Amino acid sequence: MAQIIALSRFLHLQHPLRAVLGMAAEVERIVGDHLIKGVISVPHGIQKTLHNHGKENMLLENNSRITVMEGAKNNLPDADAQKSAECIRELASGLTEKDLLLVLISGGGSALLPAPAPPMSLQEKQDVTRKLAAAGATIQELNTVRRALSLLKGGSLAQCAKPAQVVALILSDVIGDPLDLIASGPTVRSDFKPEEVWAILDRYKLSYSLPSSMNEVLSKARPHYGSQVQEQPEEVQDHVLNVVIGSNTIALECASRKAVELGLRPIILSPGVCGDVHSVARLYGLLSRFACFPEKETPPELAAEILQLGPEVGVESWDLCRTINMLVEERKEDWGVTCLLAGGEPTVQLTGKGRGGRNQELALRVGLELSSDEVKSGAVFLSGGTDGQDGPTEAAGALTDGELMKEAMSQGLDIDGFLTNNDSFTFFSQLSEGQWLLKPGLTGTNVMDVHAMLLPPSPQRDFQ
């Protein structure tokens, strides 16, 4: 391995929120002169943003051997991103068996790695994917078509690098960490069959309205044309190592260890929380309510309602049952303060034009749940984005507790009005001069959101 490293070339590509520059800078510090050359494709304006936020440690040195290329303005593939992809492909294609290609990947990287198969243009590829999305195609269907039309996605980047060894270090911002979906899996061999692409296009009645260039690219994949069926790229796993180095699961495990250090009793609910924030907030309200009841006084319908919510919020029944059982044990053994941890990526239905994000809106809605007359648990809830930013605001999220409604009313704040306008950031900014907002600054990573709810020990709870 030492011999390979000494002759290695490193390619760095990653998209979302400011992570790739920090990763690339750290890699260069670690490997030193073993680094021969690198290319990173990063979001438009990211270097200036990091500099303005005082994150110089995430920027490359002036004498760096890594070329930084910005593109994908507004998170959309563009000519600059396509040029970056071409440079990345050129670097990978020139490697030998003596080289090692290091690929840094995170979710959202698809926009920064557009490489439409010729003679198709980037605009033509975008038009087809937009039509599919408008017709109701699923994310899986969209990714199947994108991979078929790309020179780099679906394992094709790793194939370009053969015979070099490829090591991909991956930050996952997708629930379940499916490697083929994170940045459309440039180092993960795609298992789709060519005819599946045409089946998707047929399903949405797009097969006969494609540009001629796309027909040319896909013609080999249509068996009844009589042409040779397009073969899958040859197996790439023998020279590729894909490693998830950051994920929501890892973040929750680290948070759990920190909770133990602080004298708390951690319970990890799930790293896959999703669905509408209304339902997610309801789940946390129900769990808080369940935890506050003495064991023999817990209404039997409470656990049933928690389990019923599971499918709506992406939490498996066994995870809910495990959590409920641990909360029961906590009451029996008096473990002290419980720290309930979860993560994922809930969604918000936009009904207004205010400022906010899913974490702040979730915190606001959970605060309403905790403020209800039924709940007197003394719980404290936090929801935050691991990248340090929640929506178009300078906050990562917010904290809340059962005093939220009372505090808001005393300050003349109409919670329902702020929620209707999706204006949770303005609400928390005005509430007690913004002291409930979570503002850690940019973190240099992105593994979705983390939720934490502190549940005081049973003897301190007010059972009403």
Side-chain angles (χ1 to χ4, degrees):
M1 176 62 75
Q3 184 179 5
I4 295 176
I5 292 176
L7 296 171
S8 63
R9 297 170 184 260
F10 291 85
L11 164 66
H12 310 275
L13 60 100
Q14 191 201 19
H15 166 261
L17 297 172
R18 308 147 190 101
V20 64
L21 277 170
M23 293 174 74
E26 189 62 25
V27 164
E28 190 163 23
R29 283 191 285 268
I30 292 171
V31 303
D33 292 339
H34 297 306
L35 174 62
I36 304 301
K37 185 179 180 181
V39 179
I40 56 175
S41 179
V42 299
H44 176 80
I46 190 60
Q47 295 177 93
K48 182 178 179 181
T49 299
L50 288 172
H51 178 76
N52 291 342
H53 283 79
K55 300 291 183 178
E56 281 78 10
N57 64 311
M58 295 185 187
L59 298 172
L60 299 174
E61 300 291 340
N62 292 331
N63 61 348
S64 173
R65 297 181 182 182
I66 301 171
T67 300
V68 181
M69 305 183 73
E70 294 191 357
K73 192 173 184 179
N74 299 321
N75 197 25
L76 294 173
D78 57 20
D80 289 335
Q82 187 173 5
K83 183 177 179 181
S84 302
E86 290 169 357
C87 291
I88 288 170
R89 185 168 182 264
E90 181 181 355
L91 188 156
S93 299
L95 302 182
T96 71
E97 68 277 1
K98 295 182 179 180
D99 293 319
L100 171 66
L101 178 66
L102 180 60
V103 186
L104 306 183
I105 302 174
S106 79
S110 295
L112 285 164
L113 199 67
M120 180 178 48
S121 70
L122 178 60
Q123 185 62 52
E124 288 172 332
K125 182 180 176 183
Q126 288 180 280
D127 287 344
V128 169
T129 54
R130 273 196 289 263
K131 288 178 181 178
L132 280 169
T138 66
I139 185 62
Q140 291 81 5
E141 291 171 330
L142 287 170
N143 281 330
T144 296
V145 174
R146 285 180 181 136
R147 289 193 293 261
L149 304 179
S150 174
L151 294 175
L152 293 177
K153 295 180 174 65
S156 295
L157 173 59
Q159 189 64 23
C160 285
K162 259 196 163 183
Q165 293 294 307
V166 178
V167 176
L169 305 181
I170 302 169
L171 288 182
S172 171
D173 71 339
V174 182
I175 289 175
D177 306 331
L179 299 183
D180 61 324
L181 294 185
I182 303 169
S184 297
T187 60
V188 181
R189 181 177 181 269
S190 173
D191 291 328
F192 73 87
K193 297 179 180 179
E195 56 267 24
E196 290 179 353
V197 178
W198 283 108
I200 292 169
L201 295 169
D202 288 339
R203 187 174 305 130
Y204 297 102
K205 298 180 171 52
L206 294 176
S207 298
Y208 299 101
S209 61
L210 298 175
S212 58
S213 60
M214 194 164 296
N215 274 296
E216 184 175 342
V217 172
L218 294 176
S219 60
K220 291 182 180 181
R222 196 172 185 106
H224 64 261
Y225 272 9
S227 302
Q228 179 182 358
V229 177
Q230 178 178 318
E231 297 294 336
Q232 286 295 311
E234 66 178 282
E235 186 65 45
V236 298
Q237 279 83 347
D238 59 345
H239 76 294
V240 178
L241 176 63
N242 290 299
V243 184
V244 176
I245 62 170
S247 68
N248 198 264
T249 296
I250 294 173
L252 293 179
E253 290 170 351
C254 291
S256 178
R257 289 195 293 270
K258 187 63 178 180
V260 172
E261 291 177 13
L262 296 172
L264 307 174
R265 175 71 178 188
I267 299 176
I268 297 179
L269 172 62
S270 170
V273 177
C274 57
D276 191 86
V277 289
H278 292 80
S279 300
V280 176
R282 179 63 177 166
L283 174 67
Y284 287 125
L286 290 172
L287 287 169
S288 173
R289 192 168 305 148
F290 182 90
C292 82
F293 274 103
E295 182 182 1
K296 295 181 180 179
E297 298 179 23
T298 304
E301 65 272 12
L302 195 53
E305 188 175 354
I306 291 172
L307 292 173
Q308 188 175 7
L309 262 179
E312 292 184 39
V313 298
V315 182
E316 300 289 351
S317 295
W318 56 78
D319 285 326
L320 289 170
C321 289
R322 173 181 51 80
T323 299
I324 288 172
N325 289 336
M326 292 184 73
L327 289 174
V328 171
E329 288 299 316
E330 184 272 341
R331 291 183 302 204
K332 289 180 179 179
E333 304 295 333
D334 189 18
W335 285 338
V337 178
T338 298
C339 180
L340 182 67
L341 296 165
E345 199 167 82
T347 55
V348 174
Q349 295 295 322
L350 295 179
T351 56
K353 298 181 179 180
R355 293 184 67 199
R358 59 178 178 263
N359 288 284
Q360 294 165 81
E361 181 151 334
L362 176 60
L364 182 50
R365 292 188 180 278
V366 171
L368 287 178
E369 291 283 341
L370 299 179
S371 298
S372 70
D373 291 337
E374 302 172 69
V375 179
K376 299 294 181 181
S377 67
V380 178
F381 178 82
L382 175 149
S383 181
T386 55
D387 59 358
Q389 189 172 32
D390 185 37
T393 76
E394 54 266 35
L399 293 88
T400 190
D401 62 14
E403 298 298 313
L404 176 77
M405 185 179 296
K406 180 179 178 181
E407 194 170 342
M409 291 178 62
S410 69
Q411 297 176 37
L413 300 176
D414 177 14
I415 294 179
D416 290 337
F418 284 104
L419 284 173
T420 300
N421 197 34
N422 298 118
D423 204 13
S424 53
F425 176 75
T426 302
F427 171 82
F428 280 112
S429 296
Q430 295 180 9
L431 182 70
S432 303
E433 300 180 345
Q435 69 176 7
W436 294 103
L437 283 171
L438 179 64
K439 294 184 176 182
L442 301 180
T443 64
T445 189
N446 179 20
V447 291
M448 298 185 288
D449 306 331
V450 168
H451 311 149
M453 185 161 62
L454 299 183
L455 301 166
S458 299
Q460 296 182 13
R461 296 176 188 157
D462 181 12
F463 304 114
Q464 293 186 6

